[in-house]
Amino acid sequence: MKIFAKISLCAAFVCGAAVTSFAGQGAPTGAAVDPTADEQKALDALKGKLEGAIVWATSRSNSHHDIWIMNADGTNARALTKSDNVDWFPRISPDGSTVMFNRSKDGWVPENDANYPEKWDLWMVDISGENARKVVDNATWGTWRPDGKSIVFSRAGKVFLMELSSKAEKMILDGEKAFNKSGVILQEPNMSPDGKHLAITLRGSMRETGVWDLEKGGWTKSGDGCQIDWNFDGSKLYRVNPTGNGGTAAPSEILWFSAKEGKQIEKVGFFGIPKNVKLMDLPGRRSHEYFPRLSPDGKWLVWGATDKGHDHDMFDYELYMWKIGSPVESATRITYHSGNDRWPDIWLGKVPVKEAPAADVAAKAETAAAGAVGAVAAGASDAKMDELIKAIKDLTEAVKGLQDGKNASVPPNP
């Protein structure tokens, strides 16, 4: 019993702060809130500045969390997945066509159970919201390799590389053997662009972040905190650190470091944190930063922040966007909802959404119109007429999308 109690207590901590078990429940769906005049001004200034997409997990329309998508400039937010299970940790493929994410096997499962791979699978969905499919059983923390042909993921204390075409899996790190310690959990493994190193958050019987050398073996510790990752070319490492400004639960901030041959250059120790290592620490109460994600070009940062609480999947985290190098105060809040918003990812460029040929849309519209005329003549029921009206409305939107789709980075979900 004492051993079980110790394990349960250890599992109830994330990034050094206590969290509560919400098994069997769900997250608050919350409600939309209005931005202040200054926040609205910042949102308006961001509109049209970037082309691309941001995806994230949210409880705003489903207490079990769905994946949502918006334009990279913070506009046109909409649902990408709809499931009775928990969808979270979305990652956009390098070509922008596909989103990979974690999905629970059965209803509500708290994120705190990410260490139990038997509760999760990896799924993918087209960026249009179509063709959702399972790709890996019993896995979490899936990330893409630069060519989009393979992925990296965790199963508790082990990390695997899988070729998508063949589904062939290869274990690339066994945490217990590597660290010679039982109970080591490997969270959010991010392989360096050159494939030689693995940035990892250690949990379970070890609690730190760092980089494992896949070629030579050996561990280089970065420090405490969590969510360590690389920039686009491997010249930088960034992570969450449990210091700085913060909400009522605990302080946190986002740090970044220069990296050479997979090793962190700047050090964080007894004498504090060098100024050039501090990437983002919002002023004010909403400064409990988590889920940092650099844009593919390394020029923008998206992340989540809350002013109270800690649970990743329960509390009111809001998403922010910031052009790196500009004043911290210029960071733009891009979500306004008291539900839970977390784990954003950003992709820049023209989103490759497949569009139906104009001829197909026109033919469907003609068929629907003919059906409506026939239904009226035959005295169709109200329910049938409502169904036909909806079909015509959907087709009208599709035709409109063909006409002006070039003006929208992420077209509406069909």
Side-chain angles (χ1 to χ4, degrees), residues 104-232:
S104 66
K105 289 179 180 289
D106 185 23
W108 170 253
V109 179
E111 184 182 324
N112 204 39
D113 283 356
N115 295 342
Y116 302 97
E118 66 274 12
K119 296 185 177 185
W120 306 94
D121 297 316
L122 290 181
W123 283 63
M124 291 184 185
V125 64
D126 294 349
I127 199 78
S128 62
E130 301 171 316
N131 191 28
R133 65 273 191 194
K134 184 170 67 173
V135 291
V136 185
D137 291 309
N138 306 318
T140 54
W141 307 111
T143 57
W144 297 88
R145 296 298 297 132
D147 63 3
K149 296 180 180 179
S150 58
I151 59 174
V152 176
F153 58 88
S154 285
R155 287 194 179 107
K158 298 178 181 179
V159 177
F160 295 82
L161 176 70
M162 188 184 85
E163 296 293 330
L164 291 173
S165 59
S166 66
K167 302 293 184 182
E169 296 181 10
K170 176 185 178 182
M171 187 178 71
I172 56 176
L173 183 62
D174 184 325
E176 294 191 346
K177 289 183 179 179
F179 295 99
N180 193 28
K181 193 170 186 177
S182 62
V184 176
I185 300 295
L186 307 181
Q187 288 188 351
E188 200 182 348
N190 290 291
M191 186 182 287
S192 59
D194 62 9
K196 296 180 180 180
H197 300 89
L198 203 62
I200 320 169
T201 296
L202 301 183
R203 287 296 179 259
S205 58
M206 296 183 70
R207 298 192 61 80
E208 59 189 70
T209 61
V211 176
W212 182 264
D213 190 321
L214 290 169
E215 292 188 334
K216 303 175 183 177
W219 175 250
T220 301
K221 181 178 177 179
S222 174
D224 297 327
C226 54
Q227 301 168 16
I228 187 168
D229 200 355
W230 308 88
N231 71 336
F232 68 99

Side-chain angles (χ1 to χ4, degrees), residues 50 53-54 72 92 293-296 300 302 321 344-348:
L50 288 172
I54 293 172
I92 305 175
R293 190 69 170 164
L294 288 175
S295 63
W300 294 84
V302 293
M321 191 164 182
D345 190 24
I346 181 172
W347 186 88
L348 299 179

Side-chain angles (χ1 to χ4, degrees), residues 12 30 74 102 109 131 224 249 274 289-290 301 322 382 387 389 404:
N102 294 340
V109 179
N131 191 28
D224 297 327
E289 287 93 357
Y290 273 102
L301 177 73
W322 176 62
D382 290 344
E387 182 180 335
I389 290 170
D404 58 14

Side-chain angles (χ1 to χ4, degrees), residues 4 7-14 17-27 108-114 116 119 310-315:
F4 177 78
I7 292 174
S8 298
L9 181 62
C10 182
F13 282 79
V14 182
V19 297
T20 308
S21 174
F22 290 92
Q25 300 180 23
W108 170 253
V109 179
E111 184 182 324
N112 204 39
D113 283 356
Y116 302 97
K119 296 185 177 185
H310 182 93
D311 296 294
H312 290 177
D313 52 358
M314 296 296 295
F315 282 99

Side-chain angles (χ1 to χ4, degrees), residues 1 86 185 324 339 342:
M1 289 297 293
V86 179
I185 300 295
I324 294 175
R342 75 198 204 279

